[in-house]
Every structure is written in structure tokens, then in C-alpha cells.
Amino acid sequence: MTAFTVHSSKDGKTVQTVRLSPVTIVAKAIALHSEGWQVYITDAHGRRFDPADFDQVLGEKSAPAPDPV
């Protein structure tokens, strides 16, 4: 299972929240964003998802891992 991290910042404070479920991490990120936090999500592969891309996180479960280079 892939771990996801919400990176959030507001008023000089930064917080990182780790969750395993894509649904849970997106819900947390949306809640923080609606409260005025600057947020983005990263996955275990280091990919960054800004609020406009949160729908892509929900598709992660069925997406194959990238081939190593």
C-alpha cells in the first residue's frame, strides 16, 4: 500500500500528515485547504499533487508503479 503525505503551511507554521488511504489523505488536504492552508500531497514515489490534481491521487490505487529507470 502506498503512503501519502499532506504538506501544509499557514502563517509560518508547517505540518505534515501521513495516511495510507488516498480517500483519507485527499479529505484531509481539502479540509486544510478550505481553512486557508497552502497544501499539496506527495506519494511514496515523490510525485507532487497540488489541489487541482487531487483527483489523480484518488486514481493512484489502480495506477501501476512507474518502471525504474
Side-chain angles (χ1 to χ4, degrees):
M1 185 172 273
T2 300
F4 297 92
T5 305
V6 172
H7 304 265
S8 51
S9 62
K10 180 179 178 181
D11 300 330
K13 182 177 181 180
T14 60
V15 178
Q16 293 185 10
T17 305
V18 178
R19 298 286 185 268
L20 295 177
S21 165
V23 172
T24 305
I25 203 72
V26 169
K28 179 69 174 177
I30 289 171
L32 288 168
H33 190 255
S34 71
E35 294 172 5
W37 290 76
Q38 298 295 315
V39 299
Y40 64 92
I41 297 171
T42 57
D43 66 9
H45 304 288
R47 292 178 289 198
R48 178 179 168 143
F49 303 90
D50 293 310
D53 303 319
F54 287 170
D55 60 327
Q56 293 177 26
V57 175
L58 298 174
E60 283 293 298
K61 201 172 191 180
S62 62
D67 291 331
V69 178

